[in-house]
Structure formats: structure tokens, C-alpha cells
Amino acid sequence: MSEPKKLFIKTYGCQMNVYDSERMSEALGGQGYVETKTPDDADMILLNTCHIREKAAEKVYSELGRFKGLKAEKPDLKIGVAGCVAQAEGEEIMRRQPLVDLVVGPQSYHRLPEMEAKTRAGEKALDTDFPEEDKFEKLKNRPKAKRGPTAFLTVQEGCDKFCAFCVVPYTRGAEVSRPADRIIREAHDLVERGVREITLLGQNVNAYHGAGPDGDMTLAGLIWELNKVDGLERIRFTTSHPNDMADDLIEAHGSCEKLMPYLHLPVQSGSDRILKRMNRSHTAESYLRLIERIRAARPDIVMSGDFIVGFPEETEEDFQATMDLVEEVKYGYAYSFKYSTRPGTPAAERAQVDPAAADDRLQRLQALITRHQREIQDGMVGLTVRVLFEKPGRLPGQMVGKSEYLHSVHVKGTGIAVGDLKEVRITDSGANSLAGELL
Ligand code: SAH
Ligand code: SF4
Ligand code: F3S
């Protein structure tokens, strides 16, 4: 038997890219590849890229440049670009960086084995199609290796919302839901391999409408099916759009025991004028009423969100409306970004905000978010939470896991194993995590 070839994958961007990198590694496993942790001994390097902001996209080229020496030493080394930059820029990548042998878009990962063979024959391989066949079915021949207690599972991909700032509808394509039975099969498989918590993924996950036994299933319907899977303890999902927050999903947050009390529900801005210009088709008020209903169903739910500051034409008054909304919601987590112009999106053509003003707004928003985040985290002290332990901590004898609210919790104690789910009393709140003791 020949030596296995080594594959180094570096993943940028969102959780779906993390899931996709696992699938690509499995697909190339069939070609005799095993993963390696460093590019230095790799026979193939794959960058799984993100196009969401300019910085993310540009990083790819500087990273590629760093492989020049390696490729000179090792002419057989193949370099590939996958993910959303691959989809958005295609052949342009090979023109700009001749080191690149392979460019594959997110909808074509199941074709990687043939593409790899092509590069071994000395040709360049490019595939950025949106093929008809179900890539997930073609990617399913998985090894039964044991894995950690948490896993991602893509249930929906793509987006039809076309927010005026966003590249996702172009890089991931139209919204597609996977059939429910395949997702449930995959969940069973994950549980058999040691997984206890599954995060369902989709760019617009709550628009899920995959085929079920009695017609299309909603995300809530799918969650209730997964709730029946023995050995699966926790279900999460991300990312949701406010307009697809259906009644049955809100209700599930109140009644489905495995569904965790944490919800990522991006609003982007608190100004109706800007929301309209963003093509978000909800208002600040409708979003706030929605959160009221979610909190009525599950009072202790921790909310999280995304914000863009400095969107074209945003005034100080618009920004103030965002601050007011944040003040009202009080997020347990929130991610805020300075608007980044994305070529080809509608907002790219509009009057840009002065970058210094945008920087200043971002700082103020982040300070407010951090204050709330800290207050909510500090409020956990004295409470009992359930922690799913994921890995050893930095200190000897320490284990780290996540509470149902997604807070990191450090616990000292012997006899805790990775994958244990235990009751913990919170004793202390630090900068980014909680500390507690076993009950
Ligand atoms: N599908 C998810 C996530 C999209 S990308 C959703 O609909 O929410 C994650 C976040 O990146 C977005 O919520 C938005 O806040 C931010 N983002 C997207 N495009 C951006 C841009 N052009 N500039 C700055 N931030 C952006
Ligand atoms: Fe992008 Fe999300 Fe808007 Fe879709 S809903 S266009 S993924 S920000
Ligand atoms: Fe980035 Fe593509 Fe995810 S642009 S955020 S990797 S969907």
C-alpha cells in the first residue's frame, strides 16, 4: 500500500464552511488523503474561503502568496481554493495567483475527487457550477470515526433575500432545503459517533422547508423529529431571518426540551429608513414585537444578533436608532461590522459614509453590546446551568464546556470527561467565560 497523501485545509468564514471542510476532507479521503495540521508536509492545500467582507476576501491572496516557497520545493504540491471567494471570483483567482491548481465553488464539492485527479494529471481544475444533483447525497460515504460532542449539520443552503449589502445569494446560490429523512439519518449517524449536540445550519435556516413524509416540513417540524433521536441531547440552529420566524418555531422554543434557549436573530440596523434601503423587509418595531413573543414563549432565552454600521447614507440619527434598539433588546452576544462594499451588490453603488464616522459608530456600538453581554453573563452567577463538556481547560484538572445559553463555563474537578453533560453552579464571571463547580 502506498503512503497516504496529506491534505491541509484552512477554513475561513461561517460555520457552514466548517461543515463543508469536513465534507471535503471526507471526499478526498476516498482518494487516499488524510488530514494534516500543517501546510509544510501537505500534498494538497485547500483554502476554504469567505467573501462576506473585503478583508476576508483579500486575506486569501496574501495566504496563497505564502505558499510560493513550499510549491517551489515541492512541485507536486497542489493548491486549491474552495468556498465563497472561489464562487465569486472563479478563474480570476488562477489569473491573479498562478500557483493555484484548483478552484471549486460550494455547490461542487462532490466533484472534488475528479478535480483532484485532473490536477495530478498536470491540468488546472475549475468548477463553479450550480449543478442539479444533490451534492449531500454524493458526499455521504463517511468514515465511522468517533468525533467530539458537538457537530454542525447543514439543513438549508443559499438565500433568496438579497439584502442590499450581501454576497451570499450570489456565492451560495438560491435557497435549497435538504429532505428531512436525510438530515435525520445524518443526525443518527453523528450520535452513533459520539455527538450529543447538533447545530442545524443554513444561511436562512428558519426558511427551511425540506421534503418530509407528509409534504414540506418546517424547521420546527424538523426539530421535533430530531427531538426524538435517542442520545442527542441538544439542538441549536443558525442563522435565522426575522421574517421567517414562524409561530411553530417560536412555540418550539417554549416546549421542545432539547431545543436550547439561545437564538441568533440578526436585525442589522435599528433605523427603518436604513432597513428599507438594506432591503430587509422588516422594521425595528416588528423585530422588537417578535422578540417579545419569543421571550413570552421562553423567558430566559439569550438573544444574539448581527449589526452593520456605516451602511451607505446612514446618519448619526439612524445610528442612534440602532443604539436604542440594542438598549431595548439587550443581547447576550452580538456581532457588529463596519459596512464593507461588495462589488456587484446594490449598495455598492450608493453614497458611502465617511470611514472615520463609521469607525466611531462601531466603537460606540461595540461598547454598548459588551456592557450588556457582561451584565447577562454576570447575572448567571449563583444559577445552576447544565454544561456539555467539550475539552480540557488551560489549567490542570480543568474542563471547559458550554451552558444551554452558549456561555463557556470552566469547571475544576476530577471525573469529568469530554461529552459529559452535568449540572454546574456558577460561581464567577470573567472577561469571556464563567467559572463554576459541579453540583
Ligand atoms: N445568513 C446570515 C449571515 C450572513 S453573513 C444572515 O442572514 O444573517 C453574517 C453577517 O455579516 C451578516 O448578518 C451581516 O451583519 C454581516 N455582513 C454581511 N454583508 C456585509 C457587508 N457587506 N459588510 C459588512 N458586514 C456584512
Ligand atoms: Fe445575506 Fe442573510 Fe440577507 Fe441572505 S438574509 S442576503 S444571507 S444577510
Ligand atoms: Fe462567508 Fe460564504 Fe459563509 S461569504 S460567511 S463563507 S456563506
Side-chain angles (χ1 to χ4, degrees):
M1 231 176 94
S2 60
E3 276 276 293
K5 287 176 282 184
K6 290 193 175 144
L7 170 68
F8 174 74
I9 305 190
K10 185 158 179 179
T11 308
Y12 302 84
C14 61
Q15 291 128 320
M16 194 172 286
N17 266 8
V18 176
Y19 178 86
D20 287 344
S21 288
E22 291 170 6
R23 302 293 76 73
M24 287 193 276
S25 171
E26 287 166 3
L28 288 170
Q31 306 297 106
Y33 280 90
V34 294
E35 265 194 71
T36 166
K37 299 238 175 295
T38 131
D40 302 334
D41 65 349
D43 299 288
M44 174 171 264
I45 295 174
L46 263 185
L47 300 183
N48 193 8
T49 62
C50 174
H51 200 245
I52 202 77
R53 284 168 287 273
E54 193 182 352
K55 247 194 223 143
E58 280 306 311
K59 223 177 343 190
V60 176
Y61 290 100
S62 54
E63 187 76 28
L64 285 170
R66 295 193 0 215
F67 299 135
K68 209 173 202 152
L70 220 51
K71 181 114 174 177
E73 271 168 40
K74 207 173 171 181
D76 273 352
L77 169 67
K78 302 298 173 194
I79 296 178
V81 179
C84 290
V85 176
Q87 189 62 48
E89 298 184 5
E91 229 167 333
E92 179 60 26
I93 299 175
M94 289 175 175
R95 265 198 293 275
R96 228 178 118 177
Q97 183 46 276
L99 288 180
V100 174
D101 301 288
L102 179 156
V103 172
V104 60
Q107 301 311 329
S108 305
Y109 293 155
H110 53 296
R111 295 177 175 168
L112 259 178
E114 304 151 40
M115 295 177 73
E116 188 269 348
K118 203 169 160 189
T119 65
R120 291 287 156 212
E123 288 172 61
K124 301 244 174 193
L126 170 89
D127 195 334
T128 53
D129 289 351
F130 288 99
E132 285 290 311
E133 71 257 27
D134 180 350
K135 70 168 175 183
F136 294 102
E137 272 307 280
K138 300 242 155 101
L139 282 170
K140 76 179 178 192
N141 59 349
R142 305 182 156 189
K144 292 280 173 196
K146 188 101 178 105
R147 42 176 305 161
T150 64
F152 295 127
L153 202 176
T154 293
V155 303
Q156 176 279 331
E157 191 169 355
C159 183
D160 297 339
K161 296 277 193 287
F162 290 94
C163 298
F165 48 81
C166 185
V167 296
V168 171
Y170 313 97
T171 62
R172 292 277 167 172
E175 201 188 287
V176 177
S177 296
R178 294 177 66 192
D181 57 344
R182 295 186 194 156
I183 294 165
I184 292 160
R185 212 194 300 146
E186 191 168 327
H188 276 286
D189 173 64
L190 289 169
V191 169
E192 276 165 32
R193 293 163 59 196
V195 170
R196 306 192 78 189
E197 171 181 306
I198 291 179
T199 301
L200 306 176
L201 298 182
Q203 271 85 33
N204 227 308
V205 71
N206 57 343
Y208 176 82
H209 57 268
D214 319 302
D216 279 4
M217 210 181 249
T218 61
L219 182 66
L222 181 65
I223 289 169
W224 280 109
E225 284 304 309
L226 292 169
N227 199 54
K228 296 183 201 156
V229 174
D230 275 341
L232 179 64
E233 303 287 345
R234 292 179 157 186
I235 304 165
R236 305 181 186 277
F237 60 89
T238 198
T239 298
S240 299
H241 192 286
N243 291 5
D244 294 312
M245 214 52 220
D247 292 347
D248 62 346
L249 188 56
I250 296 177
E251 206 261 317
H253 269 291
S255 53
C256 183
E257 61 272 26
K258 292 183 185 173
L259 184 57
M260 291 294 103
Y262 172 93
L263 178 62
H264 185 62
L265 195 62
V267 63
Q268 313 297 355
S269 168
S271 154
D272 288 345
R273 197 178 72 87
I274 293 297
L275 285 170
K276 196 156 188 187
R277 303 289 286 145
M278 287 177 163
N279 192 32
R280 288 288 295 181
S281 58
H282 58 74
T283 62
E285 186 61 23
S286 69
Y287 179 81
L288 290 170
R289 297 295 77 84
L290 178 61
I291 291 195
E292 257 173 31
R293 288 173 53 218
I294 296 163
R295 284 185 167 149
R298 181 79 202 226
D300 61 341
I301 198 162
V302 166
M303 294 300 307
S304 128
D306 290 342
F307 293 88
I308 294 178
V309 302
F311 185 75
E313 298 159 28
E314 184 188 69
T315 62
E316 181 57 29
E317 198 184 347
D318 293 315
F319 174 68
Q320 208 48 56
T322 299
M323 294 289 273
D324 293 345
L325 180 139
V326 170
E327 196 61 78
E328 190 156 343
V329 174
K330 291 197 170 50
Y331 291 91
Y333 298 87
Y335 307 89
S336 42
F337 310 98
K338 192 164 89 163
Y339 170 71
S340 169
T341 307
R342 307 312 291 127
T345 61
E349 311 297 323
R350 301 184 194 154
Q352 307 293 312
V353 167
D354 167 38
D359 280 329
D360 176 62
R361 288 175 200 165
L362 185 63
Q363 271 189 20
R364 282 185 281 156
L365 177 61
Q366 288 183 338
L368 182 63
I369 288 168
T370 307
R371 179 155 69 73
H372 292 155
Q373 207 161 306
R374 194 59 206 257
E375 280 168 16
I376 291 170
Q377 201 192 284
D378 292 352
M380 295 282 158
V381 175
L383 300 183
T384 298
V385 297
R386 275 166 73 77
V387 176
L388 177 61
F389 289 95
E390 293 179 10
K391 56 181 187 218
R394 255 176 303 160
L395 301 178
Q398 197 185 44
M399 292 290 283
V400 195
K402 293 272 166 60
S403 77
E404 37 292 64
Y405 308 103
L406 216 57
H407 287 120
S408 280
V409 183
H410 290 77
V411 178
K412 260 191 265 166
T414 46
I416 307 174
V418 169
D420 282 357
L421 189 61
K422 289 186 186 290
E423 306 246 296
V424 170
R425 206 179 64 87
I426 302 300
T427 53
D428 209 1
S429 171
N432 291 309
S433 67
L434 295 164
E437 53 196 24
L438 283 190
L439 269 200

Short mmCIF file of all heavy atoms in Angstrom, two decimals, residues 159 161-163 165-166 168-169 204 241 280, ligand 2:
data_model
loop_
_atom_site.label_atom_id
_atom_site.label_comp_id
_atom_site.label_asym_id
_atom_site.label_seq_id
_atom_site.Cartn_x
_atom_site.Cartn_y
_atom_site.Cartn_z
N CYS A 159 -29.65 31.62 -0.28
CA CYS A 159 -30.52 32.68 0.24
C CYS A 159 -31.20 33.42 -0.90
O CYS A 159 -30.56 33.74 -1.90
CB CYS A 159 -29.69 33.64 1.08
SG CYS A 159 -30.69 34.93 1.82
N LYS A 161 -33.00 36.26 -0.15
CA LYS A 161 -33.43 37.53 0.46
C LYS A 161 -32.79 38.75 -0.22
O LYS A 161 -33.35 39.83 -0.19
CB LYS A 161 -33.10 37.54 1.95
CG LYS A 161 -33.83 36.49 2.78
CD LYS A 161 -35.22 36.97 3.15
CE LYS A 161 -35.87 36.11 4.22
NZ LYS A 161 -36.30 34.79 3.76
N PHE A 162 -31.61 38.62 -0.73
CA PHE A 162 -30.93 39.72 -1.41
C PHE A 162 -30.89 41.01 -0.61
O PHE A 162 -31.33 42.06 -1.07
CB PHE A 162 -31.55 39.96 -2.80
CG PHE A 162 -31.24 38.84 -3.77
CD1 PHE A 162 -32.13 37.78 -3.93
CD2 PHE A 162 -30.04 38.83 -4.47
CE1 PHE A 162 -31.83 36.73 -4.81
CE2 PHE A 162 -29.74 37.78 -5.35
CZ PHE A 162 -30.64 36.73 -5.52
N CYS A 163 -30.40 40.94 0.61
CA CYS A 163 -30.11 42.17 1.36
C CYS A 163 -29.11 42.97 0.52
O CYS A 163 -28.20 42.37 -0.08
CB CYS A 163 -29.53 41.85 2.72
SG CYS A 163 -30.66 40.90 3.75
N PHE A 165 -26.54 44.62 0.86
CA PHE A 165 -25.10 44.65 1.14
C PHE A 165 -24.43 43.30 0.92
O PHE A 165 -23.22 43.18 1.00
CB PHE A 165 -24.86 45.06 2.60
CG PHE A 165 -25.73 44.30 3.58
CD1 PHE A 165 -25.38 43.03 4.00
CD2 PHE A 165 -26.91 44.87 4.07
CE1 PHE A 165 -26.18 42.32 4.88
CE2 PHE A 165 -27.73 44.17 4.95
CZ PHE A 165 -27.36 42.88 5.36
N CYS A 166 -25.20 42.23 0.68
CA CYS A 166 -24.71 40.87 0.95
C CYS A 166 -24.40 40.05 -0.29
O CYS A 166 -25.15 40.02 -1.26
CB CYS A 166 -25.76 40.15 1.79
SG CYS A 166 -25.25 38.51 2.34
N VAL A 168 -23.99 36.68 -0.20
CA VAL A 168 -24.38 35.27 -0.02
C VAL A 168 -25.32 34.73 -1.11
O VAL A 168 -25.12 33.63 -1.61
CB VAL A 168 -24.93 35.02 1.40
CG1 VAL A 168 -25.54 33.63 1.53
CG2 VAL A 168 -23.80 35.18 2.42
N PRO A 169 -26.36 35.50 -1.52
CA PRO A 169 -27.23 34.96 -2.58
C PRO A 169 -26.47 34.66 -3.87
O PRO A 169 -26.90 33.81 -4.67
CB PRO A 169 -28.26 36.07 -2.79
CG PRO A 169 -28.28 36.80 -1.48
CD PRO A 169 -26.86 36.78 -0.99
N ASN A 204 -30.23 30.76 5.87
CA ASN A 204 -31.56 31.24 6.20
C ASN A 204 -32.29 30.07 6.81
O ASN A 204 -33.31 29.61 6.29
CB ASN A 204 -32.24 31.62 4.89
CG ASN A 204 -32.88 32.95 5.02
OD1 ASN A 204 -33.65 33.17 5.95
ND2 ASN A 204 -32.58 33.82 4.10
N HIS A 241 -33.65 34.46 9.92
CA HIS A 241 -34.08 35.78 9.46
C HIS A 241 -35.38 36.14 10.18
O HIS A 241 -36.25 35.28 10.31
CB HIS A 241 -34.30 35.75 7.94
CG HIS A 241 -34.47 37.11 7.35
ND1 HIS A 241 -35.62 37.86 7.51
CD2 HIS A 241 -33.63 37.89 6.62
CE1 HIS A 241 -35.47 39.02 6.88
NE2 HIS A 241 -34.28 39.06 6.33
N ARG A 280 -34.39 44.77 3.88
CA ARG A 280 -34.58 43.77 4.92
C ARG A 280 -36.05 43.37 5.10
O ARG A 280 -36.35 42.38 5.74
CB ARG A 280 -34.04 44.29 6.26
CG ARG A 280 -32.54 44.37 6.33
CD ARG A 280 -31.89 43.02 6.42
NE ARG A 280 -32.20 42.31 7.65
CZ ARG A 280 -31.71 41.11 7.94
NH1 ARG A 280 -30.91 40.48 7.12
NH2 ARG A 280 -32.05 40.51 9.08
FE1 SF4 B 2 -27.24 37.84 3.27
FE2 SF4 B 2 -28.56 36.93 5.37
FE3 SF4 B 2 -29.57 38.92 3.89
FE4 SF4 B 2 -29.47 36.44 2.93
S1 SF4 B 2 -30.69 37.17 4.67
S2 SF4 B 2 -28.92 38.30 1.83
S3 SF4 B 2 -27.54 35.71 3.82
S4 SF4 B 2 -27.71 38.97 5.18
#
